[in-house]
Amino acid sequence: MIHVVSTTLSGVSSIQVADQTFVAVPGTAVADLLARPDQWRRWWPDLTLRVREDRGEKGIRWSVTGALDGTMEVWLEPSLDGVILHYFLHAEPVPALPTRKLAAANRARRVAGKDMSFELKSRLEAHRPAGVAPTHRV
């Protein structure tokens, strides 16, 4: 006989995103763009962000409300001749979604985070030809 037990993980958010992108610029350059609320509205139009901790060249942490309720962070880790942009989102959909829709909601939030990361990378590395070392020193 097989017994199926349904469990929920307490303390685990329905929306879980963790991603990273290398950007060949100093953390201060990325932080300058991340600190602009006008950019947040473009990247996440259905979310309201409140800064919990502005860590300068190390990134920023937000409380998230609107279509989601939770936390979001961009952590900038110095690496080689730039930074690794780590993106984290832990939240619950508002209103709650049925389980069958959570995978699509997670994917949509991963894509939004990657769009933000790639936009920053594209804008900040635009002056540098591919394969050529950055002119700044880290």
Side-chain angles (χ1 to χ4, degrees), residues 23 116-128:
V23 185
M116 174 272 302
S117 298
F118 282 169
E119 179 186 323
L120 288 170
K121 182 175 181 64
S122 176
R123 287 173 65 181
L124 293 169
E125 293 181 0
H127 66 284
R128 182 180 66 90

Side-chain angles (χ1 to χ4, degrees), residues 19-92:
D19 191 49
Q20 60 187 21
T21 302
F22 179 76
V23 185
V25 298
T28 53
V30 179
D32 288 346
L33 284 176
L34 280 175
R36 297 180 43 197
D38 61 313
Q39 299 301 312
W40 310 342
R41 182 56 65 191
R42 276 189 334 91
W43 294 326
W44 304 290
D46 60 342
L47 302 179
T48 299
L49 306 180
R50 183 179 58 82
V51 176
R52 292 178 59 195
E53 186 178 4
D54 184 342
R55 302 177 63 225
E57 67 185 42
K58 293 182 180 180
I60 192 166
R61 293 179 179 140
W62 298 277
S63 293
V64 177
T65 57
L68 299 175
D69 184 32
T71 62
M72 185 163 57
E73 175 179 0
V74 173
W75 165 42
L76 303 172
E77 175 187 17
S79 180
L80 302 170
D81 52 4
V83 294
I84 300 172
L85 184 156
H86 298 273
Y87 172 69
F88 303 101
L89 173 64
H90 305 281
E92 292 299 325

Side-chain angles (χ1 to χ4, degrees), residues 86-120:
H86 298 273
Y87 172 69
F88 303 101
L89 173 64
H90 305 281
E92 292 299 325
V94 177
L97 293 175
T99 302
R100 70 183 186 283
K101 293 188 175 186
L102 287 176
N106 269 284
R107 182 184 186 289
R109 296 301 173 172
R110 277 195 318 274
V111 169
K114 194 51 102 173
D115 286 347
M116 174 272 302
S117 298
F118 282 169
E119 179 186 323
L120 288 170

